Amino acid sequence: MSGQQRRDLDEMLRHAPLDVGGDIAEARAVFHGMMTSIPLPPDVTTTSGRLGGVPVVTVETPGGDPSDVVLYFHGGAYAIGSAADAAGLAADVSRRVGARAVCVDYRLAPENPFPAAVDDAVAAYRALLDRGIPAARIAFVGESAGGGLTVATLVALKAAGLPQPSSAAVFSPWADLTVSGASATSKADLDPALTPQALRTRARDYLGTTPGTEPLASPVLADLTGLPPLLIQVGSHEILLDDAVRLAARAAADDVRVELQVWPQVPHVFQSFAVMLDEADEALESAAAFTRAQWTAARTLAEAALNI
């Protein structure tokens, strides 16, 4: 692990042109340019389609098991970003996990406020089940707002009586739209990518008239009982550190199997920078191992149930 790598990444992010809390159209254009500035590896294929009426982008890498699916939820503070923008990180996850990733292009705020994103996520998952893919062969992965959406979707699935996927891994989840965690203040000077003001702006866009304490908007306040095994990864140099810590605590209190990994001195969604940061590579390997292990456990349970 190189301190110079972390310093270089910090410097790069501090000078990035993106203003998460700025003008929506400009932020979307800048974010798209940043996320697509590095071409996908030549062996990665992407295919646009729809699941349950929701646009998706399927990302495939060589050697993946076609029977397994990672349902992937992109970040962007619920207002910017897209499934296509997330293809790079989703491809990295796909390759390491050994399965195709299906990126959900959920509707964005402010044009489509809460609960549009949750509704789209549930519809895409329900469509996978309707296509005959067992829940035990589906895993969720999400980053930033997509991490919070991942957990909110699991809660919505429980309320709808749908089976849970085998597991969920979330990177730097935005899980409290009231932006009330202590790290929003204590880590503000260390975080090179996000500010509390920007998150509060985007939270207002997404929430509309809904209070930030709504559990499906802020899953740190939800009843997480019955959710599948959960892996949470976060950097210590980000204002969302407390969102991850509180989410893990809530899951533990609700008897969910949960693993919290706090990576020192790295920023928001550091997993995106595996080409330049050793910690990102290690974190992605850890997330892939977790996902594969939960698939194996879920299949074993399903096979045992059939033999009873």
Side-chain angles (χ1 to χ4, degrees), residues 26 68 91 106 125 167 178-179 189 207 304:
E26 182 178 348
D68 293 329
Y106 57 87
Y125 178 70
S167 68
T178 70
V179 194
D189 290 339
L207 291 169

Side-chain angles (χ1 to χ4, degrees), residues 6-295:
R6 295 192 295 270
R7 288 189 291 272
D8 289 345
L9 177 57
D10 185 277
E11 185 73 7
M12 183 184 77
L13 292 174
R14 288 186 187 278
H15 290 89
L18 178 64
D19 179 4
V20 173
D23 175 78
I24 285 285
E26 182 178 348
R28 288 173 179 170
V30 170
F31 188 77
H32 175 71
M34 292 172 58
M35 297 302 290
T36 57
S37 61
I38 301 176
L40 293 173
D43 63 347
V44 173
T45 61
T46 60
T47 307
S48 297
R50 301 186 80 85
L51 271 176
V54 180
V56 297
V57 174
T58 299
V59 180
E60 296 179 277
T61 53
D65 187 337
S67 61
D68 293 329
V69 178
V70 170
L71 198 60
Y72 191 95
F73 302 101
H74 71 82
Y78 290 106
I80 62 179
S82 68
D85 290 346
L89 183 52
D92 212 347
V93 171
S94 167
R95 190 185 305 277
R96 294 165 192 262
V97 170
R100 72 185 188 273
V102 178
C103 302
V104 181
D105 216 0
Y106 57 87
R107 288 169 289 168
L108 299 179
E111 298 91 338
N112 302 282
F114 175 88
V118 178
D119 290 345
D120 286 355
V122 171
Y125 178 70
R126 189 191 296 269
L128 285 179
L129 298 179
D130 290 344
R131 291 185 180 188
I133 300 174
R137 306 196 86 136
I138 303 171
F140 284 7
V141 176
E143 33 105 354
S144 193
L149 177 59
T150 294
V151 182
T153 302
L154 297 175
V155 176
L157 296 179
K158 179 175 67 170
L162 291 170
Q164 294 286 326
S166 61
S167 68
V170 292
F171 308 151
S172 301
W174 187 21
D176 174 17
L177 269 64
T178 70
V179 194
S180 59
S183 59
T185 299
S186 65
K187 298 291 184 176
D189 290 339
L190 291 172
D191 192 323
L194 297 176
T195 68
Q197 294 82 3
L199 290 184
R200 291 187 179 107
T201 296
R202 298 284 83 100
R204 287 192 298 270
D205 288 341
Y206 178 55
L207 291 169
T209 60
T210 302
T213 53
E214 160 61 44
L216 288 184
S218 296
V220 293
L221 304 175
D223 179 0
L224 305 183
T225 305
L227 267 59
L230 180 63
L231 171 67
I232 305 169
Q233 294 181 341
V234 67
S236 69
H237 280 194
E238 56 176 305
I239 59 174
L240 292 182
L241 173 61
D242 274 4
D243 283 44
V245 173
R246 291 162 59 207
L247 183 64
R250 185 62 183 246
D254 289 341
D255 298 318
V256 175
R257 179 176 174 179
V258 60
E259 181 178 345
L260 172 66
Q261 298 178 354
V262 180
W263 295 77
Q265 301 178 1
V266 294
H268 186 62
V269 195
F270 64 96
Q271 296 87 346
S272 296
F273 304 98
V275 295
M276 62 181 293
L277 186 68
D278 291 343
E279 288 90 338
D281 182 72
E282 293 179 26
L284 286 171
E285 285 296 320
S286 178
F290 168 85
T291 300
R292 291 193 302 267
Q294 301 313 316
W295 267 331

